[in-house]
Amino acid sequence: GAVVSQHPSRVICKSGTSVKIECRSLDFQATTMFWYRQFPKQSLMLMATSNEGSKATYEQGVEKDKFLINHASLTLSTLTVTSAHPEDSSFYICSAPPPGGYGYTFGSGTRLTVV
Amino acid sequence: GQNIDQPTEMTATEGAIVQINCTYQTSGFNGLFWYQQHAGEAPTFLSYNVLDGLEEKGRFSSFLSRSKGYSYLLLKELQMKDSASYLCALNTGGFKTIFGAGTRLFVKA
């Protein structure tokens, strides 16, 4: 079945630094990927839609200059959290619609802790 | 906009049946998903309802009524491993999915 690989699974960084999270579709091509953020005991909140070869589409309230998204190939999307602050600490998850199916495939998620 | 409501928590006994409800308000959607999410893990796909009615898949069944803005996930023969959060989500078009806050299910022995 369709697999989405997400790295790293956990990262701790200092306040003010940047962190890059990668999301790869391993056995299918994904022209579109989605980035979500999930705070403890809350639901997944869609941050942005990553489009291969074009600019990402951000949801209202998400700072595009803070959360940089690059979708340079059909199998890779990256999310860079720039100038991270403690309030950015969260669980970030990517997903992609698999070819020919309804159920979106999610990456394993990245637990970001900013200290 | 869209609004999705689910109970925050539910508790059920091993071997029993539990129904998790989801109500929603939206101007339109393609279909409704149910996902399972264990703590600290990514969601996994359970079901997708496009038409009204019941979809059965093993121990899990999902129901949709578009006219009532209502769906439920039915879990039979509960097992301890079913303890997880269950997320109701709407496919609002263009691959975009909006999630409810999820229902945390606790299965006790």
Side-chain angles (χ1 to χ4, degrees):
Chain A
V3 177
V4 172
S5 174
Q6 185 173 344
H7 293 282
S9 57
R10 289 181 180 272
V11 58
I12 301 173
C13 71
K14 291 184 178 180
S15 187
T17 61
S18 296
V19 173
K20 179 185 284 188
I21 303 170
E22 291 188 349
C23 181
R24 294 180 185 272
S25 55
L26 294 186
D27 48 4
F28 66 102
Q29 295 182 334
T31 57
T32 303
M33 291 187 178
F34 302 91
W35 288 97
Y36 292 86
R37 180 168 52 182
Q38 187 177 34
F39 292 106
K41 298 186 180 181
Q42 296 186 24
S43 187
L44 286 80
M45 297 301 297
L46 180 65
M47 299 175 66
T49 302
S50 174
N51 304 300
E52 188 271 332
S54 64
K55 292 183 179 180
T57 305
Y58 290 83
E59 295 300 302
Q60 191 173 7
V62 178
E63 299 174 58
K64 59 183 65 177
D65 293 332
K66 180 171 184 60
F67 299 99
L68 301 179
I69 291 174
N70 185 280
H71 196 149
S73 77
L74 288 171
T75 59
L76 174 63
S77 175
T78 61
L79 168 68
T80 301
V81 183
T82 63
S83 187
H85 291 284
E87 57 264 31
D88 298 324
S89 298
S90 187
F91 192 51
Y92 293 85
I93 311 176
C94 66
S95 77
Y102 293 118
Y104 292 78
T105 300
F106 285 83
S108 54
T110 298
R111 175 76 58 193
L112 171 63
T113 303
V114 184
V115 298
Chain B
Q2 296 87 19
N3 189 47
I4 302 172
D5 292 308
Q6 304 178 235
T8 304
E9 292 184 355
M10 299 183 69
T11 301
T13 305
E14 191 176 19
I17 299 173
V18 70
Q19 178 174 313
I20 301 174
N21 296 325
C22 170
T23 58
Y24 59 86
Q25 295 84 41
T26 181
S27 56
F29 68 104
N30 294 337
L32 187 145
F33 290 101
W34 282 97
Y35 283 87
Q36 180 191 62
Q37 185 179 26
H38 285 97
E41 299 180 11
T44 55
F45 170 77
L46 291 178
S47 66
Y48 183 59
N49 291 67
V50 176
L51 303 176
D52 283 3
L54 186 68
E55 296 275 347
E56 297 186 75
K57 190 184 294 184
R59 293 191 299 116
F60 294 2
S61 302
S62 57
F63 173 84
L64 175 65
S65 170
R66 286 179 174 264
S67 61
K68 296 182 179 179
Y70 168 66
S71 173
Y72 67 74
L73 179 69
L74 192 71
L75 291 75
K76 303 176 184 177
E77 302 171 14
L78 277 174
Q79 302 175 9
M80 299 298 288
K81 67 178 182 179
D82 297 330
S83 294
S85 288
Y86 291 87
L87 310 177
C88 174
L90 296 175
N91 177 354
T92 57
F95 294 128
K96 195 169 177 178
T97 303
I98 305 298
F99 285 83
T103 299
R104 296 176 70 199
L105 175 66
F106 299 94
V107 180
K108 59 182 182 179

